[in-house]
Amino acid sequence: MNKLFRLKNFPLDEKTLRLQETLFHNANGYIGVRGTWEEGVPTEYDTMRGTYLNGFYDVIPCKQSESLCGLIEEKDTMLNVADTQTIGITVDNEAYNPFCGTVLHCERTLDMEAGITERIMRWRSEQGRTLTVTYRRMASFQRQHLFVIECDICPENGGKVEVTSYHKGLVKNYANPKDPRLASDSGVLLQAAGHSQIGEDTYLLSHTIKSGLTVCTAVRHVFPGSADISYDARSHSYIARYAATLRKGESLRFVKYTIAVDSRHAEDPLAAAKKLVANDCVELSQLYAEQRQYLANFWRNAEMEIDADDESDLAMAFNQYQLLQSCGSDGLSYVASKGLSGEGYEGHYFWDTEIYVLPFLTYTNPALARKLLRYRYEILPLARENAKVLGHSKGALYPWRTISGRECSGFFPAGTAQYHINGDIACAVVRYYLATFDKDYLVEEGAEILLETARLWLDVGNWNGDHFMIHGVTGPDEYSCIVNNNYYTNSCARYNLRWAARLPELCGKAWGDIAAKLHVTEAEIDGFCKAAERMYLPYDETLGIHAQDDAFLQKPLWDMAATPVDHYPLLLHYHPLTLYRHQVCKQADTILAYLLFDGGEDRETMRRTFAYYEKITTHDSSLSRCIFSIVASKLGLYDKAWDYFGESLSSDLRNTHGNTGDGIHTANMGGSYMMIVNGFAGMEVTERGLSFAPFVPKVWRGYRFRIHLQGSLLEIHATHDGCTVRLIDGNPIAFRFYDRMVALSAEHSVAEESV
Ligand code: BGC
């Protein structure tokens, strides 16, 4: 697998650098630092210079012009914390500035085995001095509070090198009032709360205004000699100055360690930061070795080899690596839709994690998936509160987007109304359980989530004759809002209710305590079963397809042919009501239900439905194409599956949605993994058992990946000559392989010829 992403001699324009800030960000699930430049960029550049801590937020006003009952008035926003990136360099009093003079060579690398990024700049100044500066950065996976920069400065003819390195406490968040996917306003949200210096180590303490959180950042420099440190109260910043006179061929190398710790992890962040500085700011060689070790373990299980062109292989590795970088593992944080790479969607957590990211983690690193799922359990009390705000007497309603657990959707028709979030979370609980048989999880956390989400469906839906219906909700497709009987929502509610009804049997002896704690009665379980059994799913007899909702197929079709190409995404060019009144989809909706909820639909109906929605879907959301690819594979439409795969796999590397500069699209990255595992390899993990039916795209020679299922580690290797499944580790395992059942025990493999 190709794990080296390198760009050379790129232009230094705003657009390129903005994109690279995202692509070369460093993160470890807790700290995320954008790949902005130590030396800065011209002030007129629209740069998003940021350092983020997963789940560290403040609460800001979200004023509604008409304060209707229950609408939110404030929301969480992920905060940009102290800037420890900035480093100025001069040689013989001439400032190093790649935007003046000549860049002779520039190069950026992300090494996904080493877990570091590197930037090399060879530059000639206006006065003719030549200088090579190399920066290496790492957010340590083993030491979650540590970020480090190694800097090497080599003036070709020697000279006096002066370094000015900042630890800046006064920072702002990014804003763009023209794009609804970004914050519209930015202010200083972090308030200075203290500073101290111990030796050459500097500490800045800051408070949020409203959420009551505190963060401490610490910086330690290791220069060859001692530095001059000063504090500037106006900018709540420390500045370290160091100078050295170098001879020709010599270079100045120094290390800048950053520690960040916030009050969710430590009662006294300053004391914690001091300890972390003492423990974690160790020799770089040790840190680099640890990072490699961590990643060797990660890749051992996650590796997916694509035997074809180099780009596919690299793009898949890139996506997997970014998912790892994004993933919180402390029960307090989750996976933001942009990971820790940027401020798009203000660092909010959506259903993206359950439906798109969790499968990758569950199948490659079940222990990490388990840690991640804890977050949803932790915010269950707030989901119960939210249900009350929405007028429900029972159950829990998870917020559509959030950090702390409170609802943060400013525009409720395309936000809060997406009740399917409850079914998505329930689905993730079940999928994790089916893949791991982790009964402890089910008993300790999963059951409570399944019950409380199921309860809500009974409260939001109603009986109409002998059908159970759900009105006034929004499905995944945000171009149709507040509809009745959204096919996806009703399908996920049915799935949720069915699994909640099975809990007494699944939890065994533990059920008594769970039922007592949550006051579950037999009558309630019976209610779940009946509603699931009689759940109404809209179907159009004339077209022979599932309708997205009750009214969807009665609306006029959107005129795609007459829509100028630069009017996509439609959401930036048309009033929402115009979109709602047409048959046009932002993203996969009905067909996503086919993938997830195992509803027993017949193949012909699915094919017709697929063909219908394919024509009216814009894929304005990056969550869409991957689903079309997987469902196409499922339906044997392999050419289509391949086309969607191609359009989706490298989406961020190629910036196909035009907004990767605001952050990566984690859902699409998880989706790209699923396109191979669940799509091409046809893997299904349902209550009926496991199955694989791999096919290999024409232009590939083959692919290979490993997967954790029910305590076993399997390796699937598919080529045009056949497919082999090997049991690498763990218990014997049975599954359907194409159309036969096989049982695999240690040291055995099963093969099928001509895939
Ligand atoms: C999509 C949502 C998604 C959100 C965050 C929106 O554009 O429509 O489905 O959850 O982006 O990725």
Side-chain angles (χ1 to χ4, degrees):
M1 203 175 192
N2 181 4
K3 302 202 192 76
L4 210 63
F5 170 49
R6 176 168 290 149
L7 297 177
K8 280 186 188 169
N9 296 329
F10 39 82
L12 266 53
D13 59 67
E14 174 185 298
K15 210 166 151 220
T16 306
L17 297 192
R18 176 65 183 261
L19 175 63
Q20 290 187 8
E21 289 175 13
T22 298
L23 298 181
F24 291 96
H25 82 284
N26 299 84
N28 61 10
Y30 177 61
I31 300 185
V33 184
R34 276 177 64 83
T36 30
W37 287 18
E38 283 79 353
E39 61 273 43
V41 293
T43 43
E44 68 275 14
Y45 275 25
D46 183 29
T47 177
M48 188 188 275
R49 196 173 182 82
T51 299
Y52 316 108
L53 305 179
N54 199 349
F56 187 77
Y57 71 100
D58 201 9
V59 182
I60 56 168
C62 179
K63 277 272 154 239
Q64 305 281 346
S65 48
E66 296 182 29
S67 302
L68 298 175
C69 175
L71 297 195
I72 66 160
E73 292 288 339
E74 46 187 30
K75 63 177 175 181
D76 304 338
T77 196
M78 176 177 78
L79 289 186
N80 181 14
V81 300
D83 176 355
T84 63
Q85 301 183 53
T86 306
I87 299 171
I89 298 170
T90 62
V91 180
D92 293 334
N93 295 323
E94 190 183 8
Y96 156 61
N97 177 359
F99 299 91
C100 303
T102 315
V103 173
L104 303 171
H105 177 80
C106 59
E107 180 176 324
R108 290 189 96 160
T109 309
L110 163 63
D111 181 337
M112 294 176 268
E113 271 169 332
I116 55 177
T117 54
E118 184 182 73
R119 181 162 64 91
I120 303 174
M121 305 291 298
R122 185 152 183 270
W123 169 80
R124 179 164 310 132
S125 74
E126 280 169 337
Q127 292 175 26
R129 282 189 187 81
T130 305
L131 184 70
T132 302
V133 190
T134 306
Y135 305 91
R136 272 183 214 104
R137 292 173 164 211
M138 180 182 92
S140 166
F141 287 112
Q142 302 268 37
R143 303 170 190 254
Q144 291 267 297
H145 299 274
L146 177 69
F147 167 71
V148 60
I149 300 177
E150 178 191 0
C151 182
D152 188 280
I153 306 164
C154 179
E156 263 167 37
N157 291 314
K160 185 175 177 212
V161 176
E162 285 171 281
V163 174
T164 315
S165 176
Y166 295 82
H167 179 182
K168 282 190 191 168
L170 191 73
V171 287
K172 275 183 164 187
N173 272 63
Y174 180 85
N176 178 349
K178 291 201 193 113
D179 189 334
R181 297 164 295 184
L182 288 155
S184 54
D185 206 359
S186 80
V188 174
L189 296 168
L190 266 185
Q191 310 280 301
H195 64 278
S196 48
Q197 186 183 335
I198 303 173
E200 288 182 13
D201 301 337
T202 59
Y203 294 82
L204 293 178
L205 209 59
S206 303
H207 288 318
T208 61
I209 298 174
K210 194 113 196 243
S211 61
L213 299 177
T214 305
V215 58
C216 182
T217 48
V219 168
R220 166 176 287 185
H221 288 94
V222 178
F223 289 112
S226 63
D228 226 26
I229 314 269
S230 57
Y231 176 73
D232 172 44
R234 252 183 336 128
S235 60
H236 187 39
S237 300
Y238 277 105
I239 302 152
R241 290 191 175 79
Y242 180 79
T245 302
L246 305 180
R247 283 196 299 259
K248 189 177 169 131
E250 276 184 346
S251 65
L252 167 65
R253 182 177 159 275
F254 67 93
V255 184
K256 183 175 185 181
Y257 298 91
T258 298
I259 291 288
V261 56
D262 72 79
S263 51
R264 296 164 313 144
H265 293 97
E267 237 173 72
D268 180 346
L270 175 60
K274 286 180 188 164
K275 274 202 190 130
L276 286 161
V277 167
N279 287 334
D280 287 353
C281 299
V282 296
E283 274 292 322
L284 267 188
S285 55
Q286 183 182 339
L287 295 176
Y288 288 164
E290 286 173 5
Q291 187 88 334
R292 257 188 198 280
Q293 186 56 47
Y294 182 94
L295 286 165
N297 289 338
F298 167 73
W299 288 118
R300 191 164 305 124
N301 292 329
E303 185 131 47
M304 182 173 265
E305 240 175 76
I306 300 176
D307 189 3
D309 56 303
D310 254 11
E311 182 182 333
S312 303
D313 205 42
L314 173 68
M316 183 57 73
F318 181 80
N319 291 349
Q320 294 179 321
Y321 185 79
Q322 300 305 337
L323 291 174
L324 178 70
Q325 291 208 107
S326 308
C327 185
S329 57
D330 53 9
L332 302 166
S333 58
Y334 213 41
V335 181
S337 61
K338 305 281 177 195
L340 291 161
S341 67
E343 294 173 39
Y345 290 122
E346 294 178 72
H348 289 165
Y349 310 138
F350 293 77
W351 69 315
D352 305 33
T353 311
E354 279 77 19
I355 301 302
Y356 294 81
V357 178
L358 262 162
F360 166 68
L361 295 171
T362 304
Y363 301 138
T364 57
N365 195 339
L368 188 55
R370 169 78 176 81
K371 284 187 188 164
L372 197 65
L373 278 167
R374 180 158 188 93
Y375 165 82
R376 288 295 190 190
Y377 183 71
E378 292 293 331
I379 65 164
L380 190 53
L382 288 173
R384 288 190 182 106
E385 288 303 309
N386 190 38
K388 287 196 192 113
V389 172
L390 273 284
H392 301 294
S393 56
K394 274 191 153 187
L397 175 61
Y398 279 98
W400 171 243
R401 52 191 287 180
T402 189
I403 296 178
S404 66
R406 74 161 62 75
E407 177 58 86
C408 296
S409 312
F411 182 58
F412 76 88
T416 312
Q418 295 201 49
Y419 274 51
H420 66 85
I421 181 82
N422 260 22
D424 305 327
I425 293 170
C427 174
V429 169
V430 173
R431 290 210 286 180
Y432 170 77
Y433 173 70
L434 287 172
T436 58
F437 288 161
D438 182 350
K439 242 193 178 122
D440 291 346
Y441 167 71
L442 200 63
V443 166
E444 287 160 22
E445 296 173 18
E448 203 165 325
I449 294 178
L450 285 176
L451 276 168
E452 290 292 61
T453 46
R455 280 175 163 164
L456 190 101
W457 294 121
L458 288 195
D459 203 78
V460 64
N462 64 278
W463 285 95
N464 183 2
D466 63 352
H467 277 119
F468 193 79
M469 299 192 166
I470 300 174
H471 297 129
V473 296
T474 298
D477 167 30
E478 295 178 355
Y479 287 171
S480 277
C481 285
I482 317 200
V483 299
N484 296 334
N485 291 314
N486 168 252
Y487 183 87
Y488 178 93
T489 307
N490 289 19
S491 303
C492 75
R494 180 172 69 172
Y495 186 88
N496 192 166
L497 289 161
R498 275 188 183 150
W499 279 94
R502 289 190 54 190
L503 285 170
E505 154 216 340
L506 295 172
C507 296
K509 277 197 206 127
W511 174 247
D513 288 346
I514 298 172
K517 177 180 169 199
L518 297 170
H519 312 291
V520 191
T521 61
E522 271 180 35
E524 188 172 30
I525 296 282
D526 199 40
F528 292 168
C529 293
K530 286 202 177 101
E533 220 169 279
R534 302 300 306 155
M535 183 67 71
Y536 174 74
L537 294 171
Y539 179 78
D540 184 276
E541 294 287 348
T542 322
L543 296 169
I545 65 168
H546 286 118
Q548 188 167 299
D549 59 64
D550 280 352
F552 188 80
L553 297 173
Q554 299 161 21
K555 302 180 205 170
L557 290 162
W558 183 269
D559 192 348
M560 298 269 194
T563 309
V565 274
D566 60 356
H567 278 38
Y568 294 93
L570 301 180
L571 67 104
L572 296 184
H573 301 274
Y574 299 90
H575 193 283
L577 287 170
T578 309
L579 299 171
Y580 301 169
R581 293 194 186 109
H582 285 88
Q583 286 190 53
V584 61
C585 304
K586 182 181 180 189
Q587 63 204 96
D589 190 299
T590 306
I591 68 148
L592 177 57
Y594 291 165
L595 175 64
L596 299 176
F597 304 123
D598 200 17
E601 298 88 354
D602 72 88
R603 205 174 163 87
E604 280 317 306
T605 306
M606 289 200 281
R607 273 187 176 237
R608 282 191 299 271
T609 307
F610 181 93
Y612 190 87
Y613 289 104
E614 195 182 17
K615 289 199 193 86
I616 56 172
T617 303
T618 59
H619 307 292
D620 281 350
S621 160
S622 66
L623 281 67
S624 191
R625 285 197 174 87
C626 51
I627 302 304
F628 274 79
S629 173
I630 304 166
V631 177
S633 291
K634 204 174 146 89
L635 297 174
L637 306 168
Y638 296 128
D639 288 344
K640 280 190 187 296
W642 171 250
D643 288 346
Y644 285 118
F645 176 83
E647 288 163 20
S648 184
L649 175 71
S650 309
S651 180
D652 280 318
L653 283 177
R654 292 172 175 233
N655 193 17
T656 56
H657 280 261
N659 65 348
T660 296
D662 302 335
I664 53 169
H665 298 80
T666 55
N668 177 65
M669 291 175 154
S672 71
Y673 171 83
M674 288 157 66
M675 285 192 287
I676 294 197
V677 172
N678 303 101
F680 299 166
M683 187 182 90
E684 289 187 359
V685 187
T686 68
E687 56 180 315
R688 289 190 305 279
L690 308 175
S691 53
F692 295 96
F695 93 95
V696 178
K698 277 187 233 142
V699 297
W700 286 4
R701 287 178 289 277
Y703 55 87
R704 183 202 303 266
F705 63 86
R706 288 182 169 191
I707 200 118
H708 278 275
L709 284 172
Q710 301 165 358
S712 306
L713 181 63
L714 299 176
E715 186 173 272
I716 287 83
H717 184 201
T719 67
H720 290 291
D721 297 330
C723 172
T724 313
V725 183
R726 263 193 331 131
L727 179 62
I728 307 276
D729 198 13
N731 312 322
I733 189 163
F735 54 88
R736 178 170 290 283
F737 191 46
Y738 298 98
D739 49 8
R740 62 189 166 117
M741 282 305 293
V742 295
L744 213 58
S745 53
E747 307 299 323
H748 281 85
S749 67
V750 56
E752 183 83 10
E753 283 177 12
S754 61
V755 175

